[in-house]
């Protein structure tokens, strides 16, 4: 049991350390980071309630995709988005585009940690190892896109509305495609999944490289 708990928490710790090590100009208050993480943990509750209200009556690839998009991705990314907007967006410490990535990743790590602990204790060590490289990083990757556009919305008032829309639309789309690929029961789909996962990793790293070195906008 202790091994499974360690494996369930390990990806959260590694990702948090990696994201925070680039916060070089104005490091975020520890209290705010903890609050965002705990909010992510709590966000699992409304997400589960809302997801159970959506019927799983897909009968084709198109209806399956719509279910993944609106019945899972929109709900999970939506509740995370709401908590970041409530707790982080107007905080005085939000003065860099990269801060948006940090805030969104912290909320997502809270969500992913609770989800991961539940999965690992239900299905065991093999699932823990698999999710260490897939599901938990995926949540952080979706959050990286959310935070990137949220940071741009904060930094550039002239394009605020456009970037605000993208800050929710892009992670929902990325998450929806991720779940859609996993739901397809075909022998060749794992190749597609691996290619898509590599794309997600590269996209997240690119957004981090683009933003962490930019000076504060205040």
């Amino acid at each position: 049991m202790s091994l499974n708990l360690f494996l369930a928490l390990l990806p959260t710790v590694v990702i948090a350390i990696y994201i925070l090590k680039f916060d070089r100009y104005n490091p975020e208050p520890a209290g705010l980071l903890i609050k965002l993480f705990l909010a992510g943990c709590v966000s699992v509750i409304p997400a589960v309630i809302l997801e159970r209200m959506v019927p799983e009556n897909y009968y084709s690839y198109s209806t399956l995709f719509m279910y993944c998009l609106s019945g899972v991705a929109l709900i999970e990314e939506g509740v995370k988005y709401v908590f970041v907007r409530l707790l982080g967006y107007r905080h005085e410490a939000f003065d860099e585009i990269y801060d948006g990535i940090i805030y969104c990743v912290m909320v997502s790590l809270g969500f992913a940690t609770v989800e991961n602990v539940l999965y690992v204790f239900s299905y065991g060590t093999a699932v823990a190892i698999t999710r260490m490289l897939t599901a938990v990083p995926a949540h952080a990757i979706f959050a990286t896109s959310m935070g990137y556009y949220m940071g741009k919305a904060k930094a550039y008032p002239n394009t605020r509305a456009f970037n605000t829309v993208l800050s929710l639309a892009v992670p929902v789309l990325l998450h929806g495609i991720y779940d859609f690929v996993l739901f397809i029961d075909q022998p060749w789909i794992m190749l597609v999944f691996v290619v898509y996962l590599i794309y997600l990793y590269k996209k997240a790293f690119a957004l981090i490289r683009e933003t962490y070195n930019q000076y504060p906008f205040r």
Side-chain angles (χ1 to χ4, degrees):
M1 183 177 293
S2 58
L3 174 60
N4 283 345
L5 181 60
F6 171 78
L7 292 175
L9 298 178
L10 180 61
T12 294
V13 174
V14 171
I15 293 169
I17 292 173
Y18 178 80
I19 290 294
L20 292 175
K21 80 172 185 176
F22 294 110
D23 190 20
R24 57 179 59 187
Y25 291 117
N26 293 324
E28 306 313 296
L32 175 60
L33 298 177
I34 293 171
K35 190 181 298 183
L36 289 165
F37 179 82
L38 293 177
C41 295
V42 172
S43 71
V44 172
I45 298 172
V48 169
I49 293 172
L50 292 171
E51 286 177 350
R52 288 182 176 178
M53 296 171 62
V54 180
E56 298 184 31
N57 59 351
Y58 44 84
Y59 49 86
S60 65
Y61 283 153
S62 59
T63 55
L64 173 60
F65 180 68
M66 290 308 300
Y67 168 76
C68 292
L69 202 63
S70 60
V72 181
L74 179 59
I75 291 173
E76 294 187 4
E77 300 307 319
V79 295
K80 299 175 199 172
Y81 177 87
V82 168
F83 277 109
V84 178
R85 293 286 301 199
L86 289 175
L87 299 176
Y89 189 77
R90 291 181 175 82
H91 198 282
E92 60 183 9
F94 195 163
D95 59 0
E96 304 170 48
I97 294 176
Y98 188 67
D99 290 348
I101 292 178
I102 293 174
Y103 297 168
C104 291
V105 168
M106 292 307 296
V107 170
S108 281
L109 285 178
F111 185 100
T113 298
V114 173
E115 182 185 69
N116 204 37
V117 168
L118 294 174
Y119 268 99
V120 170
F121 276 83
S122 296
Y123 301 106
T125 304
V127 168
I129 295 172
T130 300
R131 290 179 59 84
M132 190 183 300
L133 301 174
T134 56
V136 179
H139 277 288
I141 289 168
F142 308 145
T144 300
S145 291
M146 181 186 292
Y148 171 78
Y149 290 108
M150 193 177 289
K152 292 185 72 173
K154 183 86 170 182
Y156 305 119
N158 292 338
T159 58
R160 180 162 296 163
F162 177 68
N163 284 308
T164 297
V165 171
L166 291 180
S167 67
L168 183 57
V170 172
V172 167
L173 180 61
L174 295 176
H175 192 157
I177 294 172
Y178 178 95
D179 286 344
F180 174 67
V181 172
L182 286 181
F183 269 72
I184 296 176
D185 186 19
Q186 296 291 340
W188 47 266
I189 202 62
M190 284 310 299
L191 176 60
V192 176
F193 177 73
V194 170
V195 171
Y196 184 59
L197 193 63
I198 292 171
Y199 162 77
L200 290 176
Y201 268 94
K202 292 181 67 174
K203 178 180 177 65
F205 289 141
L207 294 182
I208 291 169
R209 285 194 303 269
E210 179 184 335
T211 55
Y212 81 87
N213 235 355
Q214 295 183 16
Y215 290 105
F217 48 71
R218 289 180 183 172

